[in-house]
Amino acid sequence: MGPVSPRSKKRRPSFRKLLKTSGVKLENKLKNKTFKQQNVAKKQRKEQKRLRKALKSTANSKPQELLTFAKRPDEEEEEQFLEELPSDMLEEEDLQQMKDMAQRASFITRDLSSSAPVHSTKKRKSELLRNLEKVPRKMAKTEEKEVIHLLPIKDKRGVVPQSVERGADLSPEHRELRLTQRKQQMAALASAVIADPHTTIKRLKELRSMLSEPDPSIAVTVKKLVMVSLMEVFKDITPTYKIRPLSTTEKSAKVKKETQALREFEEGLLSQYKFYLEDLEQIVADWRGSRTKRVQTVSLDSYRGLALVSVKCLCELLLNLSHFNFHNNIIVVLVPLMNHQDREISDLVCGAFRSLFAQDKVGGASLAAVRVISGLVKSHNYELRPEVLQTLLSLRIKEVQMKRDIEDTAPKHKFMNNKDKKKNLSRMQRKWKKAEDKLHKELLEAEATESKEKKLKLHTEVLNVIFVIYFRILKKSQKSVLLPVVLEGLAHFAHLINLEFFDDLVTVLQQLIQSGVRDVLTIDPLKFYSQLYSVLLQLHAGSTNEDVLIALRCVDTMFPRRRKHVTLQRVMSYLKRLSTLSLHTLPNASVAILATNRTLLQTFPRCDALLDTEVQGSGCFLPELNEPEHCHAHNTTLWELRPLQRHFHPTVQTLASHLSHGAPTEGSKSLRAELSRRPPEDLFEDYSIKDMSFNPPVSSQSAARRKQVSLSSQSAAGRKQVSLSSQSGAEPDLT
């Protein structure tokens, strides 16, 4: 072996350093290239500026007159000789060359006003020509019509390109053909994304780009179809969890290919979903503001249909993607539309929030929606549509956090630390405890259910926001149109009201009833019973017939639900007044009132004394007294049931006969199932005369009686016609 050469002291650069050095060189190279391009552009701008200045000065200068010089004698003789020279002596090639030279003669290349030789300014003039070539020429503008290039068609001649002027009306065949092509394109893109969303997520951008359709003849239809298609695609491919943004450390960390692919899919999905929601919001905003869209392919009149489809898509995403990102943004967009002047859009959004409240079991989405609704009510100074607050009645709130100490004393699973385990448990017990804790954690993760504490906490916050809305309206805006809805909501959530606020609530409600200031605070609801008792006789078959249903709801709350807290005198008084009310109401209200009386008779069996005509009491019944405790209703009878048994409506007859026999649950005088099992509210709606096509169930006897009456009336009419004919002397027409 030969001598080994000494090791070089210069260290070889590492691969990472080479990469870093190459990156620096590449960056410097790009910077130098950019700097050169900027210098070239700067020189060109200077040159053009100098040329424009020279042209401007030349245009402003006055042209000089041409100088004429006297001809010499020899020149005159030469010209005369050339003129007299016959042209046929020249060859054809020379003659053609002379003609071409004459045509190429230019007055731009020579200054005729100057006596200087041509060759002295040849260089300067050539430079001027080259500079003039760089200046853009201002040609005469011709009105060009904007052309839309259509997809080519193929026939016997081959591929034929198609185009149409923008604004020109397309034939129905062309429009249908182009619309079919767009539909096929949308279907292909949507199917590709749904089939394999992790690899074809970029197709969503192509599908979303079709929202900017340039063809005005099909732009509105295409936009609607694209919005609905994207909504269905997002409902199908969106994961069941909320995507969390990655931190800087997580982005720089090395991960597996599968993890990286999942991250790219989530990032692309979230980005396209955000852009899609912005497009929907922009369409609604443009329609609400009546502004002209930046894209002129859609007329302002067509924005209402686009906005309606956009709102429907947002409502679908509100209900189906309540767990996903940007759900609160959707709520912020939709809540102001609940009070929109367009009734169709307002009802659509209110219905969506009612469905959201009904399906939200935990309460997170409901809390966000209720907070935004509270801000809407306050911003409109408590003057908005009652349907906005009626949506709150659909909330599924059954229990809230009433006492903190009850929850604190509830048994909870406690995990012991290592110190406690070593101190209190043996080695085998620690081993079993560790396995038990591990199993318990796995079970909690597998169930994936929200804890009861979190649910109670969210429901409590929702209820607090609702009561804040109600109390503000009761105290600050007692003449608002929202007051009936507020009272209905208080009745709906009355069992959840904290006792600390109950005194103030009763005070405000009594102020509303009495329209005065109270000096003494009492919790006894007797005044409410007296007030409702006095209001019942003000209801009638006119405009207040719809209020009968509200009164019956109050009776149901005040008597059957509080059966242990009311006296028998109070129940008899209401039973008598309701029977009197049933005489001057419409049939549907009379049916509902009699059904309520049936409930009272079955709940308070001792009230059957009102059906006995032989029992004598002490005192005299005072029907004009509006105090149910002191009107002596036990001294009267329900004589109203007798005329009601001859009512023209068969169902009223049936209920009156049933009550007159004591409302039995069994036997021949009991009601059939379709009447006994239906609450008064349903009967009120079923027998309403709003829809004239109602067909209430009738008994066979009443049907036979009705048929007999009709036949007798027809025969009477025939006899009358015969008598009139005999009086006139004409023969009667018996046919």
Side-chain angles (χ1 to χ4, degrees), residues 622-640:
L622 303 175
E624 72 280 356
L625 186 64
N626 291 327
E627 291 293 336
E629 294 286 348
H630 308 289
C631 65
H632 304 294
H634 61 282
N635 293 322
T636 185
T637 59
L638 299 180
W639 58 265
E640 294 87 357

Side-chain angles (χ1 to χ4, degrees), residues 235-367:
K235 285 169 55 178
D236 190 80
I237 68 174
T238 301
T240 57
Y241 55 87
K242 194 172 184 178
I243 298 177
R244 180 181 58 85
L246 299 176
S247 61
T248 308
T249 307
E250 291 175 339
K251 291 180 179 179
S252 59
K254 293 183 179 180
V255 294
K256 297 181 180 179
K257 292 183 179 180
E258 294 80 3
T259 306
Q260 184 64 27
L262 180 61
R263 288 182 177 180
E264 292 177 357
F265 164 73
E266 292 178 346
E267 183 179 359
L269 174 64
L270 203 60
S271 175
Q272 294 303 319
Y273 185 60
K274 178 183 177 182
F275 291 145
Y276 173 61
L277 294 179
E278 290 176 353
D279 293 336
L280 296 180
E281 182 183 2
Q282 185 64 41
I283 292 174
V284 177
D286 290 337
W287 172 64
R288 292 183 65 188
S290 299
R291 299 193 302 255
T292 304
K293 184 74 171 167
R294 57 180 181 270
V295 179
Q296 302 296 332
T297 57
V298 180
S299 63
L300 196 60
D301 298 335
S302 303
Y303 265 106
R304 200 261 179 189
L306 285 176
L308 183 60
V309 177
S310 178
V311 171
K312 288 182 179 179
C313 293
L314 288 172
C315 292
E316 286 291 327
L317 297 175
L318 176 75
L319 297 176
N320 293 277
L321 300 182
S322 58
H323 61 279
F324 197 57
N325 301 61
F326 308 116
H327 189 257
N328 291 342
N329 302 77
I330 299 176
I331 293 175
V332 173
V333 175
L334 288 180
V335 165
L337 298 178
M338 299 173 69
N339 192 44
H340 199 271
Q341 57 186 359
D342 194 320
R343 190 60 179 258
E344 184 178 1
I345 290 182
S346 177
D347 294 343
L348 177 64
V349 179
C350 290
F353 277 100
R354 280 194 293 268
S355 302
L356 177 67
F357 293 152
Q359 74 181 19
D360 186 19
K361 298 180 180 179
V362 180
S366 300
L367 178 60

